[in-house]
Amino acid sequence: MKYATAIGRLALCGLLAACLAGCFGKPPPEQRYLRVALESTPCPGASSQQHRLPLGFKPLKSLENLDRTAVMTAHNQVLTASLQYYWEGAPQDVVGGILRQGIECQSTALTPVDYQPRVAHDAVLTGELTAFNVDYTDGGRFVVSLRLDLWTKNMGARLSTGDFNAYAPLGDFRGETIAKAAADALGRVTPKVIDWLDQGMPKLQKALERQ
């Protein structure tokens, strides 16, 4: 009798589990984390860096809808957060790290250092990430956009503002493809930022001479 009761309870539990599965649907997809990295670029030696000015690099900010690790997808005017794909860090930190590395290795005029409020850097770079997402436009692409401001010492005056945009096509929407497209788009944005910084040196030099 006890055996039959136990069998009945097991059957009831199985039925309950089946009902719950039907109510809540399939389990969520496995979470996968995407890493964005550019191809390694040789940095100049110490002798070629000694004449570059220190650039105080402030962490990038981002629009509120991008300040999350979930990969965002834009369809028309709607952004949707992925339940499967996530960046290994907040997008503004990912982009900021790659941008800083690019300036360190490719700029002829500036070398990035950690921004410290009480340290008189020769220049300061601030900015905001405004797009870092998958876009269904043109069959699928990855979009990167950011706005940067170059400041004089102690952020006394803004020298210039730059808007930078790039995209890379997507052959499909798998995680590996998204990560590579994000890296490709950042690889196109970074040289634009470096050219903008280097071309802004005459203004910076004049500002330093007046101080």
Side-chain angles (χ1 to χ4, degrees):
M1 185 70 178
K2 292 182 179 180
Y3 179 76
T5 302
I7 293 296
R9 287 177 179 173
L10 287 175
L12 182 61
C13 288
L15 180 61
L16 180 61
C19 290
L20 289 175
C23 291
F24 294 106
K26 297 180 180 179
E30 178 185 1
Q31 295 182 357
R32 303 182 64 186
Y33 291 86
L34 309 184
R35 174 170 294 179
V36 181
L38 302 185
E39 294 183 3
S40 58
T41 303
C43 289
S47 60
S48 60
Q49 292 183 351
Q50 60 185 357
H51 298 299
R52 299 196 297 173
L53 297 177
L55 173 69
F57 194 101
K58 292 193 70 172
L60 295 181
K61 298 180 180 180
S62 73
L63 296 180
E64 184 177 352
N65 58 4
L66 295 177
D67 189 14
R68 62 183 70 191
T69 57
V71 173
M72 303 297 292
T73 299
H75 187 66
N76 294 326
Q77 303 299 317
V78 179
L79 277 174
T80 304
S82 173
L83 298 178
Q84 181 177 13
Y85 296 125
Y86 298 81
W87 304 113
E88 61 179 350
Q92 63 268 27
D93 296 333
V94 172
V95 174
I98 290 177
L99 188 62
R100 178 168 175 166
Q101 179 186 4
I103 297 171
E104 174 69 28
C105 292
Q106 299 175 35
S107 175
T108 60
L110 298 164
T111 183
V113 297
D114 291 337
Y115 172 78
Q116 301 179 49
R118 295 179 179 83
V119 175
H121 307 290
D122 287 334
V124 178
L125 183 68
T126 64
E128 181 180 47
L129 185 67
T130 56
F132 190 74
N133 59 270
V134 172
D135 191 335
Y136 279 115
T137 304
D138 297 333
R141 61 184 185 177
F142 194 89
V143 180
V144 176
S145 297
L146 63 159
R147 166 169 286 195
L148 300 176
D149 293 309
L150 180 63
W151 301 79
T152 59
K153 184 182 297 186
N154 298 328
M155 298 182 66
R158 182 163 46 197
L159 292 173
S160 59
T161 297
D163 290 298
F164 306 93
N165 308 279
Y167 69 88
L170 285 166
D172 54 60
F173 297 94
R174 296 180 301 160
E176 296 83 354
T177 307
I178 294 172
K180 184 180 184 306
D184 291 344
L186 282 173
R188 297 172 186 177
V189 162
T190 301
K192 298 178 183 179
V193 173
I194 295 168
D195 288 343
W196 169 71
L197 288 173
D198 288 349
Q199 291 171 8
M201 285 306 297
K203 287 185 178 180
L204 179 58
Q205 291 289 2
K206 289 182 180 179
L208 291 173
E209 291 171 0
R210 290 194 297 266
Q211 292 177 346

